Amino acid sequence: MKDALARRETLPVVADSAVAPFTPAQLEERRIVRHDMADPRQADAFRDLRTQLLARANGAGVVTLVAPVSRGSGGSYVAVNLAAAMVFDETRTAILVDCNLRSPVLHDRLGVTADRGGLVDYLEGRITTPETILYGTGVPRLMLVPAGGRREASGDLLGSQRMRQLLHALRTIGNGAPIVLDAAAVSSAPDGRIVSELAELSVLVARYGRDSGSAVRETAAVLDPAHLAGVVFNRVP
């Protein structure tokens, strides 16, 4: 299938865009795929997922939600590696947004110290410029908007007009770079459903052997069927 992200994107230089890239050993330790892995199966799986999603949306600035069925299904793992696969080509960029305000992990996984604040700070109005919360990561050309703090009552923030404004701004800043949203488990909070209304595509993540077929169907029914791209089964033997 033809990769729909044919155009080349560039992101503006931000304060920490020159973060030292992870070594192959560090990527392996953090379970992040790279294009030249000795065993290419994981990288190929995410490359194929990337290509199919971008082809469905014609690639230009597509916003994709990644949401797990339940806690521990591996949603953040899939979100990070989908975004990492999007920058396998050295001429491409991608933006990852940590919308899991209940249990954010992406800043740790991607080696980001969110000293300028994050998504919560922007949505609560303490930060007014989106560029401030856009950080370089240990994966070259992959930018992160970290959560910036934990919020149990996060649905109102994620469904706010400021969240919509942020995504619009990131499309402009990224010159059409794809945006991946990592959300909390759909079965445990309304956040995934709320964020799905902001995305063109949604990917549901189920843990093989743990999330039952009925749980997957019930969770999928919560999301807009017109935008549901499919289900990724994580930890398949």
Side-chain angles (χ1 to χ4, degrees):
M1 184 182 294
K2 183 179 178 181
D3 188 337
L5 191 60
R7 58 183 305 208
R8 299 299 188 246
E9 305 95 351
T10 56
L11 283 171
V13 175
V14 293
D16 58 354
S17 59
V19 172
F22 292 140
T23 65
Q26 289 173 320
L27 289 170
E28 183 175 351
E29 180 184 1
R30 294 167 185 264
R31 299 176 65 223
I32 300 174
V33 297
R34 66 181 196 275
H35 68 90
D36 58 348
M37 298 175 75
D39 182 347
R41 287 176 294 180
Q42 279 190 318
D44 287 346
F46 283 105
R47 183 183 286 111
D48 183 58
L49 177 62
R50 170 210 68 186
T51 301
Q52 292 188 50
L53 291 172
L54 295 178
R56 285 190 58 163
N58 297 320
V62 60
V63 178
T64 301
L65 166 70
V66 176
V69 170
S70 59
R71 219 169 184 185
S73 296
S76 294
Y77 166 77
V78 172
V80 167
N81 283 297
L82 172 60
M86 288 175 172
V87 297
F88 279 172
D89 186 326
E90 293 184 1
T91 63
R92 294 175 178 150
T93 58
I95 300 173
L96 183 59
V97 183
D98 195 342
C99 299
N100 188 352
L101 305 186
R102 296 166 184 265
S103 185
V105 298
L106 298 188
H107 58 292
D108 284 336
R109 179 163 287 183
L110 290 168
V112 170
T113 301
D115 51 3
R116 300 194 306 271
L119 180 60
V120 168
D121 303 284
Y122 180 85
L123 296 180
E124 292 183 341
R126 290 185 294 277
I127 292 174
T128 58
T129 54
E131 292 88 346
T132 301
I133 59 172
L134 191 61
Y135 294 79
T137 73
V139 178
R141 302 172 308 284
L142 174 56
M143 310 298 289
L144 174 68
V145 175
R150 295 175 184 269
R151 289 292 184 278
E152 289 301 321
S154 49
D156 289 342
L157 288 176
L158 294 172
S160 66
Q161 184 60 29
R162 282 189 67 81
M163 183 67 185
R164 296 178 185 275
Q165 292 170 350
L166 175 64
L167 292 179
H168 177 75
L170 291 177
R171 289 178 190 266
T172 302
I173 293 168
N175 293 327
I179 300 170
V180 178
L181 310 178
D182 179 35
V186 178
S187 63
S188 61
D191 300 15
R193 176 189 57 78
I194 291 169
V195 176
S196 73
E197 296 174 0
L198 308 176
E200 283 87 25
L201 297 173
S202 297
V203 174
L204 199 58
V205 180
R207 183 165 176 176
Y208 183 86
R210 196 191 70 173
D211 293 320
S212 66
S214 60
V216 173
R217 287 190 295 271
E218 290 170 6
T219 306
V222 173
L223 304 178
D224 184 346
H227 295 165
L228 182 59
V231 180
V232 171
F233 287 92
N234 188 30
R235 298 199 176 184
V236 177

